[in-house]
Amino acid sequence: MSHAAPFWRPATILPHRCMAAQAGLLRIWILHTADRAWQVCSQKQQEPASEPLQEADPPENALWSRFEAPADEAAIRLTPALPDQAVVIRPAVPIEVLPGGTAEIFVSIPCWLRVELSGRAPQTLCELPTQALSKTWFGENTQQGEVCYSIRTRSRRTPEEITDIDGRIICPVAIRNDSHEKLPFSRLCIRAPHMSVYGQPDGALWANQTTLIHHAAKKENELLFSATAPAQAAHAELLCKPREIASEHTLRGLFSFL
Amino acid sequence: MLAQILDWFTLHIIPLVRVVALTMLGLWVGWFLSRLAHRQLREKVGAQAALLISKSIRYTLFVLVVFSVLRQLGFDLGAFLGAAGIAGVAIGFASQTSLSNLVSGIFLIFESPFKIGEVVEIDGITGTVDNIALLSTFIRTFDNRLVRIPNETVIKTRVINITRFPVRRLDLPVGVAYKHDAGRVIDILKEVAFANTLCLDEPEPLVIFNGFGASSLDFTICVWIEKTNVLATRNALLTDIKRRFDAEGIELPFPHLSLYAGSESAPLPIRLVADPAEPASDVPVTPKGTV
């Protein structure tokens, strides 16, 4: 696993100054036009990178979004967040978990960038995906289910195998088969809005550990989220809390589609 | 004197107080019960049905209060109800259409084939459901016109609810020239659909080879989309298909007509007029006299 520069450190942007940063394929410019007035624009890049906020010239012919802040803050922070909808991962090769076995896989998901005024009460100016994801339908039929983001990727068995970490969040997922039958699955739904994001000093982003437990006897599955950073990133700092608090119904109902 | 005042008081004031108390209590109970019913039933039977039930409770109690008050005031309700019955029959005959619409409206609210805000097609009219009243349903068309459709018509005609489910399929016909390989066209159309982020990955895009048309090989590309993205997907997908076909050299044919003189017949003669000053000459056209 390569290293990347953490882009989420707060930076002070004085009035009439512009700064730029890059996370994954998204480069973002933030212009402090005057007291309490901000402008933000972004452009898709060809190569992924991870660069913290630095002084930069504003791009020409950019489509700016303008924001008027209630207080005179000069500190800006780019907070990495997980997507606002569940993400369906389709492993290149279908996986079967034998009875009593546990499959541990690592998948990387492009992060969303939340542009925040980092004062006493942080306020979000806007939120941008670092990569446009296609969508898919995840459900038993076309009447019941939900629209999710879709990623076709190879699921990795160790985090070291993941090479493209710029602007991506590594999600450790364990699938435990407590039934007496094989558990085949070709798609995995990751409940991204219910997960937190942690950042390491080396720039790697992690989500909390997710464990899926399959009980055939009870015909009911379980989905568990750990409340702390995963073991692989024990000293990582919490950057972003879950967007939604998972209810018991949500956890049990949606995992049954696996 | 005191006895007269008491008699007058007993005769006039007490009934009046009783009538006022009965009216206020009855109206309050009606208001309270209708509010309670609306709040309790809104989640279970839907907003429209809950509103109908709560209004029915309120108006029923209002009528009961009116009858009670009239009785307290000494009116003969038997004669009144008899007259009301006769009037009801007369009004019923005179307003058959309205009653039919009313009953249809009640069925419509409880059957709930569509809800306010959903996009439907009723009797050939497509638009967003603006209101479902007892007598009629109001549809706001996409060019911002309000269409009133009697509920009887809604019950009788075919209703298509376009946005009931979160996802729907969008079918786009595509025709290409006969000279192209059908398999290659199918592959290209699938690639275009998979590359478009508005098209859902699953259910997978489908390309159907419909057959040999008058001027083209006819295909239909079927993609699943979110119900709110119909126009955006149609524009994006057709644009992508045109760009990709241009890049691949695939021709989108106009309708055309070929005239054959037949294998046994001679080519059709065409007279070419090069210059008005020079004499015209007959030139045979090859191959096979196609014009």
Side-chain angles (χ1 to χ4, degrees):
Chain A
M1 193 168 66
S2 61
H3 293 267
F7 57 82
W8 55 85
R9 303 275 180 244
T12 299
I13 306 178
L14 298 172
H16 310 293
R17 306 301 288 268
C18 179
M19 281 192 168
Q22 186 168 341
L25 293 172
L26 188 78
R27 188 159 185 81
I28 187 166
W29 286 265
I30 302 164
L31 178 62
H32 192 173
T33 51
D35 291 343
R36 293 182 292 154
W38 296 86
Q39 291 188 12
V40 177
C41 76
S42 61
Q43 284 180 359
K44 186 185 173 188
Q45 305 295 302
Q46 294 297 323
E47 293 296 324
S50 183
E51 295 173 8
L53 282 165
Q54 293 171 345
E55 292 269 353
D57 292 328
E60 294 178 0
N61 303 324
L63 186 62
W64 292 92
S65 300
R66 292 186 56 172
F67 305 93
E68 294 287 337
D72 188 14
E73 292 285 350
I76 282 281
R77 176 182 163 134
L78 300 176
T79 302
L82 277 156
D84 54 356
Q85 289 178 326
V87 180
V88 171
I89 305 290
R90 301 180 68 181
V93 180
I95 301 171
E96 286 193 9
V97 185
L98 299 179
T102 300
E104 290 188 354
I105 58 173
F106 296 86
V107 292
S108 68
I109 297 174
C111 74
W112 261 228
L113 270 190
R114 198 177 285 169
V115 184
E116 291 178 328
L117 290 172
S118 66
R120 286 182 180 173
Q123 284 195 311
T124 302
L125 296 183
C126 61
E127 195 173 297
L128 301 163
T130 58
Q131 190 177 326
L133 298 177
S134 61
K135 292 190 172 180
T136 190
W137 179 252
F138 192 70
E140 289 175 338
N141 51 48
T142 50
Q143 288 92 50
Q144 292 178 322
E146 64 174 317
V147 175
C148 304
Y149 292 112
S150 172
I151 296 178
R152 290 168 184 268
T153 181
R154 284 184 62 190
S155 52
R156 318 283 178 164
R157 298 203 63 238
T158 62
E160 287 75 22
E161 294 177 58
I162 297 177
T163 53
D164 52 339
I165 66 162
D166 288 328
R168 297 180 78 96
I169 300 166
I170 303 168
C171 303
V173 182
I175 300 154
R176 202 173 86 199
N177 183 7
D178 282 0
S179 71
H180 299 291
E181 297 169 345
K182 280 184 183 176
L183 173 62
F185 67 90
S186 56
R187 296 196 303 162
L188 178 65
C189 183
I190 295 187
R191 315 299 313 167
H194 299 147
M195 295 158 72
S196 308
V197 179
Y198 298 86
Q200 281 190 303
D202 64 1
L205 293 167
W206 287 82
N208 44 340
Q209 170 87 37
T210 306
T211 305
L212 314 175
I213 305 171
H214 175 65
H215 304 282
K218 288 197 289 183
K219 299 285 185 188
E220 197 173 63
N221 300 304
E222 286 181 69
L223 180 56
L224 305 173
F225 298 107
S226 70
T228 58
Q232 295 83 356
H235 301 294
E237 61 173 318
L238 176 65
L239 299 177
C240 184
K241 292 180 180 176
R243 293 174 187 268
E244 299 169 13
I245 302 301
S247 65
E248 186 80 4
H249 172 75
T250 306
L251 297 183
R252 292 182 185 280
L254 291 173
F255 179 50
S256 65
F257 295 143
L258 181 73
Chain B
M1 182 64 182
L2 187 62
Q4 284 180 333
I5 292 172
L6 281 174
D7 286 345
W8 185 86
F9 193 83
T10 308
L11 196 65
H12 294 96
I13 298 300
I14 289 178
L16 191 65
V17 169
R18 196 184 293 161
V19 163
V20 171
L22 187 67
T23 305
M24 291 180 68
L25 184 68
L27 292 179
W28 183 83
V29 168
W31 172 82
F32 176 77
L33 287 179
S34 70
R35 291 263 301 181
L36 187 69
H38 187 254
R39 197 175 300 172
Q40 295 293 324
L41 296 174
R42 194 168 44 193
E43 296 294 325
K44 294 174 184 170
V45 297
Q48 285 290 323
L51 190 67
L52 179 68
I53 293 170
S54 69
K55 279 188 175 177
S56 300
I57 290 172
R58 183 182 289 188
Y59 292 135
T60 303
L61 286 174
F62 178 76
V63 170
L64 288 175
V65 167
V66 169
F67 283 155
S68 301
V69 167
L70 288 174
R71 195 174 175 185
Q72 287 293 326
L73 293 174
F75 284 94
D76 182 8
L77 289 182
F80 181 79
L81 289 174
I86 294 168
V89 171
I91 292 169
F93 273 114
S95 57
Q96 278 185 19
T97 308
S98 299
L99 283 176
S100 174
N101 282 325
L102 183 74
V103 173
S104 300
I106 293 169
F107 283 136
L108 208 57
I109 286 170
F110 283 99
E111 189 187 12
S112 191
F114 48 78
K115 296 172 186 167
I116 292 173
E118 288 184 331
V119 178
V120 294
E121 183 187 323
I122 302 173
D123 203 18
I125 296 165
T126 306
T128 308
V129 179
D130 194 68
N131 190 19
I132 308 167
L134 277 178
L135 294 179
S136 53
T137 297
F138 293 87
I139 304 292
R140 187 161 42 82
T141 61
F142 295 127
D143 54 353
N144 210 26
R145 292 181 296 170
L146 192 67
V147 181
R148 175 187 177 276
I149 304 174
N151 283 336
E152 189 184 3
T153 307
V154 179
I155 287 287
K156 283 179 179 174
T157 195
R158 186 184 65 176
V159 176
I160 301 173
N161 191 326
I162 297 169
T163 55
R164 171 54 59 92
F165 302 119
V167 292
R168 59 169 293 199
R169 204 178 78 179
L170 178 68
D171 297 350
L172 297 173
V174 179
V176 302
Y178 265 88
K179 62 185 178 185
H180 299 298
D181 177 52
R184 176 70 184 140
V185 173
I186 290 173
D187 290 343
I188 289 172
L189 288 174
K190 278 189 177 176
E191 286 170 19
V192 169
F194 274 115
N196 192 313
T197 53
L198 290 170
C199 303
L200 300 181
D201 289 359
E202 286 201 15
E204 283 194 6
L206 178 70
V207 179
I208 302 168
F209 184 10
N210 292 319
F212 306 100
S215 306
S216 58
L217 299 175
D218 293 337
F219 299 86
T220 301
I221 179 168
C222 313
V223 294
W224 285 84
I225 56 170
E226 289 183 79
K227 65 182 179 184
T228 52
N229 289 343
V230 176
L231 291 180
T233 310
R234 178 183 288 271
N235 282 341
L237 204 56
L238 289 176
T239 305
D240 290 349
I241 290 170
K242 177 70 169 66
R243 282 182 184 151
R244 185 66 189 275
F245 277 5
D246 288 347
E248 298 277 347
I250 292 177
E251 181 190 343
L252 293 165
F254 295 104
H256 58 265
L257 184 65
S258 297
L259 296 178
Y260 291 96
S263 58
E264 300 299 323
S265 62
L268 288 173
I270 296 176
R271 171 167 291 189
L272 296 179
V273 181
D275 189 343
E278 295 180 4
S281 61
D282 286 345
V283 178
V285 178
T286 56
K288 292 188 178 179
T290 304
V291 178

